[in-house]
Amino acid sequence: MTRPKVSVLLCTYNRERFIAESLESVFAQTVPPSQVIVINDGSTDHTTAALEPFRQRIEYLESENHGKPSALNLGMAKVTGEYVWIMDDDDVAMSDALERHVALLESRPELGWTYSSYIESTTNRENLRIAPQREKTLADFPDEQFLVRLMEQCFLIHPTILVRASCYREVGPFDPALVRCQDYEMAVRLARRFPCARVAGPTIYYRMHGGPRGSAQDTFEAGQIQEKWLEYMQVFIRKLRKEMPLSEYLPGRQPPSGGTSDLRYAYLRRMAIMARKRLYDEMIEDFRLAAQENSTDFSALAPLERNLLRELFNSINDPFFFHKDILRRIRAVCDGPVGSAIRGELIRCLYWDMINTLRKGRFSQAFSTASTAMQLSGVGVLRSFLHDLKSNWRSRGPSCFN
C-alpha cells in the first residue's frame, strides 16, 4: 500500500540551539515525511551551521528576515505532498505524531485537518534537550462548537495540526503582516471552511523558554509574548468580526431563523469572544445589539444565554473589564427588558463572587465587588442587592462558583 506523501515546513530564525533536535524528531517519524523544507528566515546566529548535518535530507530555502508568515508562504509554494505539517524550530515531535494524524485523515476523507494536545516542556540545562513537564489538556465540546470555542481561546499550536495541502491552497496564503498569531489566524480560517477532528493524546513537546521572539523588525523578549500575542490577535479578530456572518457564531452554524433568541444568542456569543480578546468597544456594541432584540416573547434570557454570561464572567482575567467606565458603558447600552436581564445575570455573578470572597475573609475584595455591582446596577438596585447579601451570605452559590 502506497503511503500518502507528507510535506514538512520548518521555518527558522536564530534557533541554533534547538533546531537540530527538532529536525531529528521529524526524521524519526514512524511514518516518514516525503519532503522536508527548511526556510532560514535571515538568521544571524549559527543556525546555518546547525543545519549542515541535515543538508542532504532537506530542501533548503533562505531569505531575508520578513517574519514567519512570509517564510511559510515561500515554503508553501514548494510543497509536493498531500498533507502539510508545519513544524516549529524549537519544538520536538513524538515519534508517532504523523502516523496518528495520517491514520485519522486517511480513514475520514471528509476531514480537512486534524489536531491534538501537546506537552508543555522546558529545556534541560546540561544538554539543551527537551524536558517534558505536563500535558496541556483540551476541553471537550461538541464538534459543531469547534469554531466558536477556538475563537474564544486559542488552544492549538501549529505543530499539533496536519492539514490537507488542498485546504491550504483553498484558504490562501498566510497574512505577512501577522508576525505573531499567524497560526491562530490560519486555524480559524481553516475551521470556517473545513471540518476537523482531534487525534487522541498529545503529539508534540512544546518548548517554553526565554530569549528573543518575533522578526528582526519587531523583536521582543519572552516576557512580552502575551502582550504581543494580544496586539496581533486583535488585528485579525477585529477584521474577522466585520466579515464573519452571525450564523457562524451559532451552534451547528445554522443561519439565524429570524427568531429574536437566535440573533440575540449570536450577538452574545460574539460579545463574549470580543470580551476575551479585550476588544471592549466591539464588546459593548454587541451588548447593545443583543439588548435591542427585545421581543416580548424572548425578553427573559434562555439558559444557554445565562450560562454564556456566567462562563464569560469566570473567564475574564483583565481588571480593565471591571473598570468603572467600561461598566457604565455596559449599563448605558443594556437597557430595556433584555438589557436589564443581561445586567441582572452579571450582577448575580458578582453577588456569588462576593459571597465566596467573604467566606474566605477577603473583605476588601468583597467591597470592590460591591462597587462593581453598583456601576452595573445603580444605587437603588444595589440597595436590594446588599440586603440580600446580608440575609444570605452563608448560603451556597450556584454551581458555576462552587
Side-chain angles (χ1 to χ4, degrees):
M1 180 178 178
T2 303
R3 285 178 172 173
K5 294 181 178 180
V6 179
S7 294
V8 178
L9 295 184
L10 194 153
C11 301
T12 185
Y13 176 63
N14 290 351
R15 284 286 183 263
E16 59 177 337
R17 297 194 303 162
F18 304 132
I19 192 169
E21 187 178 12
S22 180
L23 276 171
E24 287 168 3
S25 73
V26 169
F27 288 114
Q29 291 297 301
T30 54
V31 171
S34 60
Q35 180 185 35
V36 179
I37 304 172
V38 176
I39 309 99
N40 187 347
D41 190 35
S43 296
T44 57
D45 63 356
H46 296 97
T47 292
T48 303
L51 289 171
E52 275 304 315
F54 304 95
R55 290 296 286 269
Q56 299 303 312
R57 292 187 286 173
I58 65 174
E59 296 180 32
Y60 181 72
L61 303 175
E62 199 169 73
S63 67
E64 295 182 2
N65 182 265
H66 296 296
K68 187 175 180 180
S70 295
L72 285 172
N73 290 337
L74 183 65
M76 199 70 75
K78 304 291 185 180
V79 162
T80 59
E82 302 165 56
Y83 300 109
V84 178
W85 185 25
I86 296 176
M87 185 65 183
D88 279 350
D89 58 0
D90 52 359
D91 294 337
V92 174
M94 294 182 175
S95 61
D96 63 347
L98 275 184
E99 181 178 354
R100 285 186 281 149
H101 279 292
V102 169
L104 185 54
L105 284 166
E106 289 289 287
S107 67
R108 297 183 58 184
E110 78 278 7
L111 297 177
W113 55 298
T114 51
Y115 68 98
S116 79
S117 62
Y118 55 91
I119 294 180
E120 295 177 335
S121 308
T122 57
T123 303
N124 186 304
R125 294 184 179 181
E126 294 182 1
N127 58 18
L128 299 183
R129 306 290 287 185
I130 202 84
Q133 300 294 309
R134 67 194 66 83
E135 182 178 351
K136 180 72 171 181
T137 56
L138 304 182
D140 291 319
F141 46 77
D143 290 343
E144 62 267 21
Q145 291 187 16
F146 181 86
L147 175 60
V148 289
R149 293 292 185 178
L150 182 63
M151 291 181 68
E152 286 174 350
Q153 180 184 16
C154 182
F155 47 80
L156 303 178
I157 56 174
H158 232 145
T160 62
I161 72 175
L162 185 67
V163 184
R164 297 186 193 274
S166 59
C167 295
Y168 271 131
R169 295 189 186 103
E170 187 168 330
V171 299
F174 288 85
D175 185 347
L178 295 177
V179 295
R180 295 295 297 177
C181 219
Q182 71 285 140
D183 50 351
Y184 187 18
E185 188 271 343
M186 179 56 75
V188 171
R189 220 190 301 176
L190 288 167
R192 294 184 65 196
R193 299 285 289 274
F194 307 103
C196 62
R198 185 189 304 181
V199 171
T203 60
I204 291 291
Y205 298 103
Y206 170 65
R207 193 189 304 263
M208 302 178 293
H209 58 91
R213 299 289 200 279
S215 65
Q217 291 78 23
D218 189 10
T219 303
F220 53 91
E221 294 301 316
Q224 297 176 283
I225 285 179
Q226 293 303 317
E227 176 186 338
K228 283 294 182 179
W229 176 272
L230 184 63
E231 175 186 337
Y232 287 101
M233 177 178 59
Q234 287 179 337
V235 170
F236 90 81
I237 291 292
R238 189 178 281 117
K239 178 181 178 182
L240 192 62
R241 183 180 180 274
K242 296 178 180 178
E243 300 173 350
M244 187 166 151
L246 279 172
S247 60
E248 294 191 51
Y249 293 92
L250 294 169
R253 297 169 63 177
Q254 297 299 315
S257 65
T260 305
S261 60
D262 282 349
L263 288 171
R264 191 172 70 203
Y265 183 72
Y267 286 134
L268 287 175
R269 194 97 207 204
R270 189 173 68 179
M271 175 279 302
I273 292 169
M274 298 304 116
R276 287 179 171 91
K277 308 310 183 189
R278 303 184 187 180
L279 292 170
Y280 293 131
D281 288 344
E282 289 79 3
M283 174 196 76
I284 289 168
E285 173 63 9
D286 283 330
F287 265 129
R288 184 187 68 80
L289 291 168
Q292 284 182 343
E293 296 297 328
N294 57 1
S295 166
T296 54
D297 294 335
F298 298 99
S299 58
L301 296 182
L304 274 177
E305 294 170 318
R306 294 199 301 270
N307 289 338
L308 179 61
L309 290 169
R310 292 173 185 175
E311 287 176 10
L312 172 63
F313 182 88
N314 285 332
S315 67
I316 291 295
N317 58 6
D318 178 24
F320 192 67
F321 177 86
F322 300 101
H323 190 274
K324 62 181 181 180
D325 290 337
I326 295 292
L327 298 172
R328 285 171 179 168
R329 291 174 66 189
I330 293 174
R331 188 177 70 182
V333 298
C334 288
D335 56 359
V338 174
S340 296
I342 291 171
R343 284 192 293 126
E345 193 59 48
L346 292 175
I347 292 167
R348 189 173 292 109
C349 291
L350 288 164
Y351 174 90
W352 292 113
D353 185 56
M354 180 185 293
I355 286 180
N356 286 340
T357 55
L358 282 173
R359 286 171 175 167
K360 297 173 183 177
R362 299 173 183 172
F363 299 108
S364 60
Q365 185 177 345
F367 178 79
S368 176
T369 303
S371 298
T372 300
M374 181 171 63
Q375 296 297 333
L376 272 177
S377 62
V379 177
V381 178
L382 181 63
R383 186 179 295 114
S384 174
F385 171 82
L386 292 175
H387 179 269
D388 289 343
L389 175 65
K390 182 178 178 180
S391 303
N392 302 305
W393 72 274
R394 290 187 179 89
S395 63
R396 188 165 181 246
S399 58
C400 64
F401 292 104
N402 290 346

